[in-house]
Amino acid sequence: MDKLAKFFTSKPFVYVFWFGLSLFAVVKSVILGHTHIHNNYFVYKYNFIHVLEQRNLYLHDAAHYFDLNHYGPIFSYIIAPFALMPDALGVVLWVMFTAGLLLFAIKQLPIRENHYLIILLLCAHELMTSAANVQINPLIAALIILSFTFIKKEQDFWAALMIALGMFIKLYGVVGLAFSFFQ
């Protein structure tokens, strides 16, 4: 039983589980042609395109997606490399990028390795759900966690940058500011 527990909490297993669930969810939707699921990605992509075209980012664009854009123009710089790719590749790499960024942020937390692996195991299903819907949640969560870790390390510039990026992408990033009061 100990060997089994060690296997399921080993770094290679946890990393494969972390990325594998998200990769499975997004690749499945790409293969099945569920473009309605990728609506969020199209909102992100056209955020970048509308910035290039100097169009209003917040008007409804029924020709490309069936939602409203809630993301600031700064976000267009982050999504740009993915928006320039073919949609199937861009959406898959975007999901993997956000999963990787969230993994990086969690690894920066001031906790022992086995604890961050447990966090990854506990959060992998939520990450998969976010990946299946191509949500921005992993990116925002990563920025909030990074703002906390930079505040903890007294790296004020980087902490402020993470908070500002989070706020300029979507207002939820302001949560990172709360950590400065409890330093």
Side-chain angles (χ1 to χ4, degrees), residues 27-127:
V27 167
K28 176 185 166 202
S29 67
V30 167
I31 289 171
L32 295 177
H34 294 160
T35 54
H36 65 282
I37 293 175
H38 304 147
N39 183 62
N40 286 336
Y41 175 75
F42 294 128
V43 172
Y44 309 153
K45 175 181 177 169
Y46 283 94
N47 178 291
F48 168 69
I49 291 170
H50 292 162
V51 165
L52 286 180
E53 295 172 348
Q54 297 182 356
R55 291 179 51 196
N56 186 331
L57 298 179
Y58 305 105
L59 293 178
H60 185 64
D61 186 359
H64 298 109
Y65 50 85
F66 56 87
D67 203 350
L68 293 175
N69 177 31
H70 302 286
Y71 311 98
I74 296 297
F75 178 65
S76 67
Y77 294 105
I78 296 170
I79 195 66
F82 308 98
L84 293 171
M85 297 176 186
D87 291 336
L89 181 61
V91 72
V92 170
L93 292 179
W94 170 253
V95 165
M96 292 295 96
F97 169 74
T98 60
L101 189 61
L102 184 56
L103 170 79
F104 173 78
I106 292 170
K107 285 179 69 172
Q108 302 309 304
L109 289 169
I111 55 178
R112 293 193 313 235
E113 181 173 298
N114 61 336
H115 291 169
Y116 94 79
L117 291 173
I118 291 169
I119 291 171
L120 294 179
L121 282 172
L122 292 172
C123 296
H125 183 266
E126 289 304 318
L127 181 66

